[in-house]
Amino acid sequence: IEFEHELLHGLIIAPPNYHPFVFLHPKTTEIKRDDDYVYTTQPTASRYRMQGLTRQNDKLSQYIKKCISEGRVFYATNETGEVFRNFLLWGQNQRLV
């Protein structure tokens, strides 16, 4: 996730005998691969860089939204959680023209 000069890296963790969840932490290195999924606030033509999360309907985005609605997203720090919360709020306030 790219949001207001912050980069977050999300991992889907699937421990044995437990429901999978999303773990978000600050990304401390640059995005190196062009085929990594990146949620951003900027319009883009790339199929791997998507504007916002809430409007996306691909399988990965749907899975992440399901984890959010079920409370299965965890954060490395409170600041990481706040960046993610603000990113989701930004997405909810965007209007399709």
Side-chain angles (χ1 to χ4, degrees):
I1 296 172
E2 289 179 333
F3 183 68
E4 294 189 356
H5 310 293
E6 299 282 343
L7 272 179
L8 301 181
H9 186 147
L11 300 168
I12 296 175
I13 310 288
N17 302 320
Y18 191 73
H19 293 288
F21 61 91
V22 175
F23 178 71
L24 291 170
H25 63 88
K27 181 158 180 54
T28 57
T29 59
E30 292 182 18
I31 299 168
K32 296 177 185 155
R33 294 176 34 171
D34 291 336
D35 62 347
D36 283 341
Y37 281 87
V38 178
Y39 296 101
T40 181
T41 57
Q42 302 301 314
T44 177
S46 169
R47 65 183 272 194
Y48 298 106
R49 296 180 69 83
M50 297 171 276
Q51 186 179 18
L53 170 66
T54 55
R55 291 188 286 207
Q56 306 305 323
N57 290 317
D58 61 282
K59 287 183 181 183
L60 176 62
S61 299
Q62 289 176 353
Y63 186 79
I64 293 169
K65 289 187 284 188
K66 182 178 179 184
C67 286
I68 292 167
S69 70
E70 294 176 356
R72 294 188 288 125
V73 178
F74 300 93
Y75 316 101
T77 66
N78 288 340
E79 182 178 315
T80 300
E82 189 65 14
V83 170
F84 185 63
R85 184 182 78 81
N86 287 328
F87 177 71
L88 292 177
L89 289 172
W90 171 87
Q92 291 173 349
N93 289 325
Q94 296 306 299
R95 301 274 189 253
L96 290 176
V97 177

